Every structure is written in C-alpha cells, then in structure tokens.
Amino acid sequence: LTASQRMLAHGLVMPQLGKVDLDYMDQQAETFKVDAWKCYTGSPPKGFKHGWWLSDENIAYPMLEKAQALGITNVCAHKGLPLGPVADYNHPRDILQAAADFPRLNFLIYHSGFLGTSRIDLKKKKKGEIPWTTEFCRLKQKQPKLNNIYMELGSTFGQLVITEPVICAHLLGQILLAFGDDHLIWGTDSIWYGTPQWQIEAFRRFQIPDALREQHGYPAVTRDLKAKVFGLNAAKLFKVDVQSKRQ
C-alpha cells in the first residue's frame, strides 16, 4: 500500500510484563509501523491476578516513556465496559494523573469510560448520572488545563442512542462541557455490530433536547461539531491531511 492508502493501526501494550513489553513495543514500531498503542488496564496477562493503572509509576510509566521515545504518542485505553477479573481497573480515573505527567502524549479513552447500559441506576438516570462517565467528566472539570485527553464513542453511543436517548444526550453534553468539542472522537465498534451506517445516521440526526440544554448548559450538537466528531478531531491526532484525502 502507498502512504495514502495505509491503514492506521494499534500496537498492543501489556506493561505488567516489564521489559518483554518494552521490547515488543520496539518490534511493533519497527515492523508494523503502528500509529497508536492500545491497552486494556482491566485485562492482565496470564499469571496476573488483576489489572493495572496508567498512573502506576512502576508499571505504566516505563511504557509511556517508551511510547514517547518512539514518537508514537497516541495511547488508546479501554475504559468502561469492564473486562478482566477486577472490574474497577477499567475505571478511567487513572487517566488524569498519567495525562498530567505525560503532556506530550494523547490519551484516547475508548468507550468514554461508560460502565454499560446494564449498570444504569433508574433513580440516578433521571438526574443524568451515567455510571463512571459522569464521575470522570467531573474529575476532568477540576483540571481544566489538561488538554491531552480525548473521549471516544465506540459501543457507548450505539448502546445508548436507541434504548436510552436521554442518557445519550446527557453523555454527549457532559463530555462536551468537560473536554470540549475538539476532544470527542467517533467510534462504532462495528466489528461487533456489523455495518456502522445506522450509527452514522443516528448521530447525524441526534440533537440534545432544548430542555436539557437549558437545565444543564449543554452546547448544541451542530453540523460543524458533528464534522469534528466524525473525523476531523481524529485526523489531527493521527496527522491525516484532510484536504489531500478529500482529493
């Protein structure tokens, strides 16, 4: 494939493995020319009883330092939708410290830290309380200068937009208030759901209801904002020349 046709790819990191992981990062960077790193903080390698935190200076920081040294600066973390033996390691709260300590790296929070539709409390739902994501947005608002965290919508938007559209509106509104419209990126997890077209059409039509916007101060989901989410924000992260691609 030519450079213009090349698929953007993740390399896998498992920092609990120590030097083995760091050597594998070198191999992936050289052989596969990866564009980002993907990590599953809740899913430990065989032989480990639980996951790890991106804020762990002994486990995670050597991996983050290696990513920085290799110049592959997008770190994509599975957060929310728990995997592994201890669900809590999928919580996104550790991202804030890692992002503060590594300002030259970008942290992409896959699934926006959403705990899942089955974990939505009906009483809290009426107040717009979204498990894990609402908490993470509040924590981010306490650190407004942090500018290297991006929220990704894979599975989260698809799970909410049909069955829980009001919660979906709260989720988008809270993310936009906490992170800004240039820090929300599209994702569909279509490998699990088939063609993503229905999700694309749903987002094209989606609006946050006026009543929620007035009550909570959520911004409007404009056409320009949707264009950023659909690809322009990610294009900046992955250094894609949008104009040349369109030609």
Side-chain angles (χ1 to χ4, degrees):
L1 296 177
T2 67
S4 63
Q5 295 172 313
R6 189 172 64 83
M7 180 182 295
L8 297 173
H10 295 89
L12 180 64
V13 291
M14 295 177 285
Q16 285 170 302
L17 296 177
K19 186 177 184 303
V20 171
D21 182 61
L22 299 178
D23 291 344
Y24 187 43
M25 290 176 73
D26 282 326
Q27 181 184 345
Q28 292 178 92
E30 182 178 352
T31 305
F32 303 119
K33 311 298 183 187
V34 298
D35 306 277
W37 306 105
K38 182 68 181 292
C39 59
Y40 297 83
T41 60
S43 296
K46 186 176 180 180
F48 292 84
K49 293 182 179 180
H50 57 71
W52 52 282
W53 297 112
L54 270 159
S55 55
D56 189 315
E57 295 184 12
N58 294 319
I59 293 175
Y61 280 25
M63 176 271 290
L64 296 175
E65 289 165 358
K66 171 69 75 171
Q68 196 163 262
L70 290 169
I72 302 170
T73 56
N74 293 325
V75 178
C76 306
H78 177 104
K79 288 293 185 178
L81 306 180
L83 300 172
V86 182
D88 193 53
Y89 283 96
N90 296 276
H91 196 290
R93 59 179 172 269
D94 56 323
I95 299 294
L96 297 166
Q97 187 61 53
D101 289 343
F102 290 87
R104 288 189 287 166
L105 297 180
N106 302 309
F107 293 84
L108 284 62
I109 312 309
Y110 277 31
H111 321 298
S112 293
F114 176 51
L115 186 55
T117 52
S118 64
R119 314 285 177 83
I120 295 175
D121 182 285
L122 294 179
K123 291 182 180 179
K124 292 182 178 180
K125 167 182 167 180
K126 294 179 181 179
K127 300 178 182 179
E129 292 285 330
I130 305 157
W132 287 7
T133 302
T134 296
E135 179 186 358
F136 186 50
C137 287
R138 287 181 180 142
L139 291 171
K140 167 61 177 67
Q141 285 180 306
K142 294 178 181 179
Q143 299 191 51
K145 293 182 179 180
L146 276 183
N147 199 38
N148 57 334
I149 303 174
Y150 296 78
M151 298 288 264
E152 185 266 355
L153 292 173
S155 275
T156 298
F157 179 78
Q159 285 189 14
L160 291 175
V161 68
I162 302 300
T163 59
E164 298 283 358
V166 174
I167 287 292
C168 189
H170 278 296
L171 178 126
L172 291 174
Q174 290 171 18
I175 289 173
L176 291 169
L177 285 179
F179 293 89
D181 61 7
D182 53 354
H183 283 66
L184 179 58
I185 56 180
W186 184 243
T188 62
D189 258 356
S190 59
I191 190 172
W192 305 115
Y193 308 118
T195 173
Q197 193 61 36
W198 67 272
Q199 294 188 56
I200 294 169
E201 295 297 338
F203 190 64
R204 281 178 176 160
R205 293 191 301 269
F206 198 84
Q207 296 293 333
I208 298 175
D210 290 342
L212 291 184
R213 290 185 55 213
E214 292 173 8
Q215 183 179 359
H216 298 279
Y218 297 150
V221 183
T222 63
R223 183 173 179 176
D224 286 344
L225 185 151
K226 290 174 182 178
K228 288 183 176 182
V229 175
F230 270 137
L232 296 179
N233 289 339
K236 291 180 181 178
L237 282 169
F238 288 93
K239 298 179 174 58
V240 174
D241 185 331
V242 174
Q243 190 60 36
S244 66
K245 283 288 185 184
R246 285 176 170 164
Q247 299 301 319

